[in-house]
Amino acid sequence: MKRSMPRRRRYDQALSIAELAEIARRRLPNFVYEYIHGGADDEVSLRNNRAVFNRYRFTPKTLTDVSQRDLGRDLLGHRVSMPVVIGPTGFNGMITQDGDSKLARAAADRGIPFTLSNASTEPLEEIAKVPGGWPWMQIYFYRDHDYVKNLVDRCRASGYDTIVVTTDSAIYGNREWDTRNYARPFVLNWRNKLHVLSRPGWMKDVLYPHGVPTFKNLGDLLPPEDSSVQGAAAEIGKHLMPSLNWEDIRWLRDNWSGNLLIKGILSVEEARTAVEYGIDGIVLSNHGGRQLDSSVSPMEILPEVRAAVGDALTILLDGGFRRGSDILKAVLLGADAVLLGRTTLYGLGAGGQAGVDHALGLLHKEMDRTLGLLGCSNLQELDRSLIRDACAPQTVSPA
């Protein structure tokens, strides 16, 4: 029997990411929560991103000493406290004031990277100043290469060492729920306007005293009248680059000597090509189910990609991670780390920076507990013998 969701009122009472999501839903206006929560078309990819974790089952060891446990590992030349990166998400200033900074500070406090979205509401230069942080920058390729070059130069000048280029958004996905919330671009329909009035705490936090947030890293691309965050996703889509190809990646590699990751790969062939182009890592991603519907889950392709490229690439992935056990399943299948999107946004929506920290704390506890129950003391002890694909034919050894 499926249990009903407890009605937690405070972010620090949440016992799971699902409970944090419910608290965020009750705090945020409908159009903001749907932007975080929704997927493309019929949301087949969105649902499969979660369902796929049920396919993989643990086969733990016992009678091992797990009294001392460590979730840390090396990632792109840095030591991280756990195999987690906060991934790039735009429009965070609509969730809470200075949403990007709150995510970045929570990541720094937990000893993990934070990836600033190209569509952020705070300048990349400000995020670089977060004490103790390891900021990454995500970029889209727009039709204007000069804009991309300027953005790369700003990253270099601000001390960033990692750029993540998203390649699965050369054409903007179909998000019907987002379109239905607006009477026309930048103007909410009456149903959503009335719903905003039922969220006075959010209005005071986000809209006072400067009004709707604006994009802070798209100034050279968008005219002033299109810089408002509200309803602007489709407008940004008009500037995306449908002709994006590997020669553009070569151009970026030639203009950036730091870590370069490609986000959006779901093909073994493209993973091999990334090695040939001198890419440092890839993020297996279907954009959280927000671009091509019915696309494969990153978890489904992960083992094949790792087998194909070996240690030649750092491999990360995103898509549906809600439990610490989900993250360790990815590590067991070959991932170096995972990117979190909605998971930390639910924390941000429920309780600001403290809510993000609570979300990361929940995942850390779940990973630590799962690691011990698997019979391991650290991530280096994890191997494929501890997991099986329940959908794959199983070989039974003769007695």
Side-chain angles (χ1 to χ4, degrees), residues 344-373:
T344 41
L345 293 186
Y346 293 142
L348 187 67
Q353 181 179 334
V356 178
D357 183 73
H358 187 68
L360 294 172
L362 288 172
L363 294 176
H364 189 279
K365 289 179 182 178
E366 291 172 354
M367 278 189 283
D368 178 69
R369 181 170 57 246
T370 302
L371 184 70
L373 289 172

Short mmCIF file of all heavy atoms in Angstrom, two decimals, residues 344-373:
data_model
loop_
_atom_site.label_atom_id
_atom_site.label_comp_id
_atom_site.label_asym_id
_atom_site.label_seq_id
_atom_site.Cartn_x
_atom_site.Cartn_y
_atom_site.Cartn_z
N THR A 344 18.14 19.76 -5.35
CA THR A 344 18.58 20.90 -4.54
C THR A 344 17.65 22.11 -4.72
O THR A 344 17.55 22.95 -3.84
CB THR A 344 20.03 21.29 -4.89
OG1 THR A 344 20.24 21.21 -6.31
CG2 THR A 344 21.00 20.34 -4.21
N LEU A 345 16.94 22.18 -5.84
CA LEU A 345 15.97 23.26 -6.01
C LEU A 345 14.77 23.09 -5.07
O LEU A 345 14.20 24.07 -4.60
CB LEU A 345 15.49 23.33 -7.46
CG LEU A 345 16.53 23.74 -8.50
CD1 LEU A 345 15.87 23.92 -9.87
CD2 LEU A 345 17.25 25.04 -8.10
N TYR A 346 14.38 21.85 -4.81
CA TYR A 346 13.32 21.64 -3.83
C TYR A 346 13.77 22.15 -2.47
O TYR A 346 12.99 22.78 -1.74
CB TYR A 346 12.98 20.15 -3.72
CG TYR A 346 12.34 19.56 -4.97
CD1 TYR A 346 12.65 18.27 -5.38
CD2 TYR A 346 11.42 20.29 -5.71
CE1 TYR A 346 12.06 17.72 -6.51
CE2 TYR A 346 10.83 19.75 -6.85
CZ TYR A 346 11.16 18.46 -7.26
OH TYR A 346 10.59 17.92 -8.37
N GLY A 347 15.03 21.90 -2.11
CA GLY A 347 15.54 22.44 -0.86
C GLY A 347 15.57 23.95 -0.86
O GLY A 347 15.22 24.59 0.12
N LEU A 348 15.99 24.52 -2.01
CA LEU A 348 16.04 25.98 -2.13
C LEU A 348 14.65 26.58 -1.99
O LEU A 348 14.46 27.59 -1.32
CB LEU A 348 16.64 26.35 -3.49
CG LEU A 348 16.93 27.83 -3.74
CD1 LEU A 348 18.05 28.33 -2.84
CD2 LEU A 348 17.30 28.07 -5.21
N GLY A 349 13.66 25.96 -2.62
CA GLY A 349 12.29 26.45 -2.54
C GLY A 349 11.68 26.29 -1.17
O GLY A 349 10.85 27.09 -0.74
N ALA A 350 12.08 25.24 -0.45
CA ALA A 350 11.51 24.97 0.86
C ALA A 350 12.13 25.81 1.96
O ALA A 350 11.46 26.18 2.92
CB ALA A 350 11.67 23.49 1.20
N GLY A 351 13.44 26.12 1.83
CA GLY A 351 14.09 26.80 2.95
C GLY A 351 15.32 27.61 2.60
O GLY A 351 16.19 27.81 3.46
N GLY A 352 15.45 28.04 1.34
CA GLY A 352 16.60 28.85 0.97
C GLY A 352 17.91 28.07 1.10
O GLY A 352 17.95 26.86 0.87
N GLN A 353 18.98 28.75 1.47
CA GLN A 353 20.28 28.09 1.59
C GLN A 353 20.24 26.97 2.62
O GLN A 353 20.81 25.89 2.40
CB GLN A 353 21.35 29.11 1.98
CG GLN A 353 22.75 28.50 2.10
CD GLN A 353 23.82 29.52 2.46
OE1 GLN A 353 23.67 30.71 2.18
NE2 GLN A 353 24.89 29.07 3.08
N ALA A 354 19.57 27.20 3.74
CA ALA A 354 19.47 26.15 4.76
C ALA A 354 18.71 24.95 4.23
O ALA A 354 19.02 23.81 4.59
CB ALA A 354 18.80 26.70 6.01
N GLY A 355 17.73 25.17 3.36
CA GLY A 355 16.99 24.07 2.77
C GLY A 355 17.86 23.26 1.83
O GLY A 355 17.75 22.03 1.76
N VAL A 356 18.74 23.95 1.07
CA VAL A 356 19.68 23.23 0.20
C VAL A 356 20.62 22.38 1.04
O VAL A 356 20.88 21.22 0.73
CB VAL A 356 20.49 24.21 -0.67
CG1 VAL A 356 21.49 23.46 -1.54
CG2 VAL A 356 19.56 25.06 -1.54
N ASP A 357 21.13 22.97 2.12
CA ASP A 357 22.03 22.23 3.00
C ASP A 357 21.31 21.01 3.58
O ASP A 357 21.91 19.93 3.71
CB ASP A 357 22.54 23.13 4.12
CG ASP A 357 23.55 22.42 5.01
OD1 ASP A 357 24.69 22.21 4.55
OD2 ASP A 357 23.18 22.05 6.14
N HIS A 358 20.04 21.18 3.92
CA HIS A 358 19.28 20.05 4.46
C HIS A 358 19.14 18.95 3.42
O HIS A 358 19.28 17.76 3.74
CB HIS A 358 17.90 20.52 4.92
CG HIS A 358 17.12 19.48 5.65
ND1 HIS A 358 17.48 19.01 6.90
CD2 HIS A 358 16.00 18.79 5.30
CE1 HIS A 358 16.61 18.09 7.30
NE2 HIS A 358 15.71 17.93 6.34
N ALA A 359 18.88 19.33 2.17
CA ALA A 359 18.77 18.34 1.09
C ALA A 359 20.08 17.58 0.93
O ALA A 359 20.10 16.35 0.82
CB ALA A 359 18.39 19.03 -0.22
N LEU A 360 21.20 18.30 0.91
CA LEU A 360 22.51 17.66 0.77
C LEU A 360 22.82 16.78 1.98
O LEU A 360 23.43 15.70 1.85
CB LEU A 360 23.59 18.71 0.58
CG LEU A 360 23.52 19.52 -0.72
CD1 LEU A 360 24.53 20.66 -0.70
CD2 LEU A 360 23.75 18.63 -1.94
N GLY A 361 22.40 17.23 3.16
CA GLY A 361 22.61 16.44 4.36
C GLY A 361 21.83 15.14 4.33
O GLY A 361 22.34 14.08 4.75
N LEU A 362 20.59 15.19 3.85
CA LEU A 362 19.80 13.96 3.71
C LEU A 362 20.49 12.97 2.80
O LEU A 362 20.60 11.77 3.11
CB LEU A 362 18.40 14.30 3.17
CG LEU A 362 17.43 15.00 4.11
CD1 LEU A 362 16.18 15.43 3.34
CD2 LEU A 362 17.04 14.10 5.28
N LEU A 363 20.96 13.46 1.65
CA LEU A 363 21.62 12.58 0.70
C LEU A 363 22.92 12.00 1.28
O LEU A 363 23.24 10.82 1.06
CB LEU A 363 21.91 13.32 -0.60
CG LEU A 363 20.70 13.77 -1.41
CD1 LEU A 363 21.14 14.59 -2.62
CD2 LEU A 363 19.87 12.58 -1.86
N HIS A 364 23.67 12.84 1.99
CA HIS A 364 24.92 12.36 2.59
C HIS A 364 24.64 11.24 3.58
O HIS A 364 25.33 10.20 3.58
CB HIS A 364 25.65 13.52 3.27
CG HIS A 364 27.03 13.18 3.72
ND1 HIS A 364 27.28 12.50 4.91
CD2 HIS A 364 28.25 13.38 3.15
CE1 HIS A 364 28.58 12.31 5.04
NE2 HIS A 364 29.20 12.84 4.00
N LYS A 365 23.65 11.42 4.45
CA LYS A 365 23.31 10.38 5.42
C LYS A 365 22.87 9.10 4.72
O LYS A 365 23.25 7.99 5.14
CB LYS A 365 22.20 10.87 6.35
CG LYS A 365 22.63 11.94 7.33
CD LYS A 365 21.46 12.39 8.19
CE LYS A 365 21.88 13.51 9.14
NZ LYS A 365 20.72 14.00 9.94
N GLU A 366 22.07 9.24 3.67
CA GLU A 366 21.60 8.06 2.95
C GLU A 366 22.75 7.34 2.25
O GLU A 366 22.81 6.10 2.25
CB GLU A 366 20.52 8.46 1.95
CG GLU A 366 19.23 8.91 2.61
CD GLU A 366 18.23 9.50 1.62
OE1 GLU A 366 18.58 9.67 0.43
OE2 GLU A 366 17.09 9.78 2.04
N MET A 367 23.67 8.10 1.65
CA MET A 367 24.83 7.48 1.01
C MET A 367 25.71 6.78 2.03
O MET A 367 26.19 5.66 1.81
CB MET A 367 25.64 8.53 0.25
CG MET A 367 25.11 8.86 -1.13
SD MET A 367 26.24 9.90 -2.06
CE MET A 367 25.93 11.48 -1.31
N ASP A 368 25.95 7.44 3.16
CA ASP A 368 26.80 6.86 4.20
C ASP A 368 26.20 5.56 4.71
O ASP A 368 26.90 4.54 4.86
CB ASP A 368 26.96 7.86 5.33
CG ASP A 368 27.80 7.33 6.48
OD1 ASP A 368 29.02 7.15 6.29
OD2 ASP A 368 27.23 7.05 7.56
N ARG A 369 24.90 5.57 4.96
CA ARG A 369 24.22 4.36 5.45
C ARG A 369 24.25 3.25 4.41
O ARG A 369 24.54 2.09 4.72
CB ARG A 369 22.78 4.70 5.83
CG ARG A 369 21.99 3.52 6.38
CD ARG A 369 20.66 3.98 6.95
NE ARG A 369 19.85 4.70 5.99
CZ ARG A 369 19.52 5.98 6.09
NH1 ARG A 369 19.98 6.70 7.09
NH2 ARG A 369 18.76 6.56 5.18
N THR A 370 23.98 3.60 3.16
CA THR A 370 23.98 2.61 2.08
C THR A 370 25.36 2.02 1.87
O THR A 370 25.53 0.82 1.67
CB THR A 370 23.47 3.23 0.77
OG1 THR A 370 22.16 3.76 0.97
CG2 THR A 370 23.41 2.20 -0.35
N LEU A 371 26.40 2.88 1.92
CA LEU A 371 27.77 2.41 1.76
C LEU A 371 28.09 1.34 2.81
O LEU A 371 28.65 0.27 2.49
CB LEU A 371 28.74 3.58 1.88
CG LEU A 371 30.23 3.28 1.65
CD1 LEU A 371 30.49 2.97 0.18
CD2 LEU A 371 31.09 4.46 2.10
N GLY A 372 27.74 1.62 4.06
CA GLY A 372 28.00 0.66 5.12
C GLY A 372 27.21 -0.63 4.95
O GLY A 372 27.73 -1.73 5.17
N LEU A 373 25.95 -0.50 4.58
CA LEU A 373 25.12 -1.69 4.40
C LEU A 373 25.57 -2.53 3.21
O LEU A 373 25.30 -3.74 3.15
CB LEU A 373 23.65 -1.29 4.23
CG LEU A 373 22.98 -0.75 5.50
CD1 LEU A 373 21.60 -0.19 5.18
CD2 LEU A 373 22.88 -1.84 6.57
#
